[in-house]
């Protein structure tokens, strides 16, 4: 095998860039690390050489020399649901805007060993911090048993822990119930998320808290699993409950319930009003358009990246819950006169 063919397969390195730009390897290294003591003309020449040669920086090698990988780790224990998946996309965008790359690892929340292995995988890659998308109690418990030598923040953890970032789930649920109560409903059911999800628990707490604050009797709580199918299956329980309104813990379950109510001849919002949670992109196009609670995943991700890289202006403000917003649409109306739960005339 000739030396020429070997060189053609060898990745372009710092010495190649240095030779093309007519500078030392140390100068190339300084340009790569944004060192201030490099003349603008020299930086331009080095960067032109990189572009011409197709040089790609090796983050692992860079970390060895500078202790900076410019990479953040993201550990997700559930990326299939809307909230966690949106957060992953928002985290990647926020990290890129801050000049960082993202390395992701996934682990089953119920498997503590898998969570530990995922954290080890990220740490070995030299990540400078880790954001954990942790909607389950089990993930937080596994993390609490570890010593991790880089900054760690958690998302979707209902604000638990000293570095837990979240949208205020209980406040969002209270907004949803308030919208129904303000429309005149007094018998309000809750289509709840899975019991092992921290945010589902917080939304159920917010639901009960708002009912109590208004002097309304606790309504029926119907178990769901986040899916449209579970919302569809809940229709019989809703009908038996006598509720004139339902707060669904996410938009997907609300979608299934809207479909089932239509199938059994009940109009929304004429017979039953429905409010969801998340404000998914499709929620405005449900029939009727769904009143729901919007979560600002982009703000949550921006704060997480700022905290983990130490760029937050103040830990207290950065860690404060992000406020949700009610988005009023067509799925809420006053109850019909004579419906169960109507106030006495």
């Amino acid at each position: 095998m000739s030396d020429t063919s070997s060189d053609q397969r060898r990745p372009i390195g710092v010495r190649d860039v240095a030779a093309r730009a007519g500078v030392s390897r140390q100068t190339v290294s300084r340009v790569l690390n944004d060192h201030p003591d490099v003349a603008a003309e020299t930086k331009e020449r080095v960067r032109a050489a990189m572009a011409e040669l197709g040089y790609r920086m090796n983050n692992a090698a860079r970390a060895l020399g500078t202790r900076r990988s410019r990479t953040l780790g993201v550990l997700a224990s559930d990326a299939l649901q809307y909230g966690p998946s949106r957060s992953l996309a928002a985290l990647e965008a926020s990290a890129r805007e801050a000049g960082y790359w993202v390395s992701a690892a996934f682990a089953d929340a119920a498997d503590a060993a898998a969570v530990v292995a995922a954290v080890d995988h990220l740490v070995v890659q030299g990540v400078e911090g880790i954001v954990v998308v942790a909607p389950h109690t089990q993930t937080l418990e596994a993390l609490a048993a570890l010593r991790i030598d880089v900054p760690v923040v958690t998302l979707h953890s209902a604000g638990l822990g000293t570095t837990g970032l979240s949208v205020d789930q209980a406040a969002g649920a209270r907004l949803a119930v308030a919208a129904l109560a303000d429309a005149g409903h007094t018998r309000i059911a809750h289509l709840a998320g899975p019991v092992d999800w921290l945010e589902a628990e917080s939304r159920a707490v917010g639901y009960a808290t708002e009912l109590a604050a208004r002097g309304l009797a606790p309504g029926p709580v119907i178990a769901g699993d986040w899916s449209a199918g579970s919302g569809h299956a809940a229709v019989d329980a809703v009908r038996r409950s006598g509720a004139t309104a339902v707060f669904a813990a996410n938009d997907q379950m609300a979608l299934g319930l809207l479909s089932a109510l239509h199938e059994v001849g009940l109009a929304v919002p004429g017979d039953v009003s429905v409010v969801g949670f998340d404000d998914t992109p499709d929620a405005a196009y449900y029939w009727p358009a769904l009143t729901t609670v919007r979560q600002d995943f982009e703000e949550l991700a921006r704060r997480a990246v700022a905290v983990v890289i130490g760029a937050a202006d103040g830990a207290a403000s950065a860690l404060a819950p992000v406020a949700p917003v009610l988005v009023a649409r067509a799925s809420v109306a006053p109850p019909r006169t004579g419906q169960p739960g109507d106030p006495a005339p």
Side-chain angles (χ1 to χ4, degrees), residues 2-12:
S2 69
D3 290 340
T4 301
S5 61
S6 176
D7 286 344
Q8 288 174 342
R9 287 194 298 270
R10 178 177 60 79
I12 299 298

Side-chain angles (χ1 to χ4, degrees), residues 294-331:
R294 176 178 296 159
Q295 303 196 71
D296 192 341
F297 297 106
E298 286 71 24
E299 172 64 12
L300 196 63
R302 186 194 64 77
R303 292 191 192 184
V305 170
V307 170
V308 83
I309 67 176
D313 292 333
S317 60
L319 293 173
V322 176
V325 177
L326 182 80
V327 181
R329 297 193 180 102
S331 63

Side-chain angles (χ1 to χ4, degrees), residues 70-309:
R70 306 296 295 183
T71 301
L72 300 180
V74 175
L75 169 59
S77 59
D78 196 309
L80 298 179
Q81 300 301 328
Y82 177 74
S85 66
R86 275 291 305 277
S87 291
L88 288 173
L91 282 167
E92 197 279 332
S94 293
R96 187 172 62 248
E97 185 176 349
Y100 285 76
W101 295 99
V102 163
S103 177
F106 300 87
D108 182 352
D111 185 348
V115 173
V116 172
V119 170
D120 288 342
H121 170 75
L122 294 172
V123 171
V124 166
Q125 292 185 57
V127 297
E128 296 184 31
I130 298 175
V131 180
V132 184
V133 181
H136 303 282
T137 305
Q138 300 99 310
T139 306
L140 296 182
E141 291 172 346
L143 289 173
L146 297 177
R147 176 184 172 182
I148 306 173
D149 294 328
V150 296
V152 177
V153 298
T154 61
L155 299 188
H156 298 282
S157 54
L160 297 179
T162 57
T163 55
L165 292 166
S166 68
V167 174
D168 193 331
Q169 304 295 310
R174 295 191 67 170
L175 289 173
V177 174
L180 295 167
D182 287 345
H185 296 277
T186 59
R187 181 68 171 166
I188 302 171
H190 179 41
L191 179 50
V195 295
D196 62 333
W197 280 67
L198 293 164
E199 291 179 327
E201 180 181 356
S202 293
R203 292 172 199 176
V205 168
Y207 159 78
T209 300
E210 186 64 20
L211 289 178
R214 289 173 175 266
L216 299 178
V221 177
I222 304 163
D225 64 7
W226 296 137
S227 71
S230 70
H232 190 278
V235 69
D236 288 338
V238 169
R239 295 177 73 188
R240 289 193 303 269
S241 74
T244 62
V246 180
F247 161 44
N250 79 338
D251 289 353
Q252 283 297 105
M253 291 192 296
L255 170 63
L257 180 60
L258 292 178
S259 174
L261 288 168
H262 175 75
E263 289 171 8
V264 299
L266 293 176
V268 178
D271 296 310
V272 181
S273 288
V274 178
V275 176
F277 203 109
D278 282 335
D279 193 27
T280 62
D282 297 336
Y285 304 99
Y286 290 179
W287 186 257
L290 183 66
T291 294
T292 185
V293 176
R294 176 178 296 159
Q295 303 196 71
D296 192 341
F297 297 106
E298 286 71 24
E299 172 64 12
L300 196 63
R302 186 194 64 77
R303 292 191 192 184
V305 170
V307 170
V308 83
I309 67 176

Side-chain angles (χ1 to χ4, degrees), residues 12-18 23-38 42-44 46-51 54-59 61-63 65-66 68-70 99 101:
I12 299 298
V14 169
R15 69 177 182 180
D16 303 298
V17 175
V23 299
S24 68
R25 282 182 289 177
Q26 289 83 356
T27 297
V28 174
S29 179
R30 290 190 182 101
V31 173
L32 288 171
N33 293 293
D34 296 322
H35 198 285
D37 296 335
V38 181
T42 302
K43 287 182 181 179
E44 184 177 348
V46 169
R47 287 168 181 160
M50 290 177 185
Y55 172 77
R56 297 291 182 270
M57 183 164 54
N58 185 323
N59 267 342
R62 181 187 190 190
T66 67
R68 298 292 305 278
S69 66
R70 306 296 295 183
W101 295 99

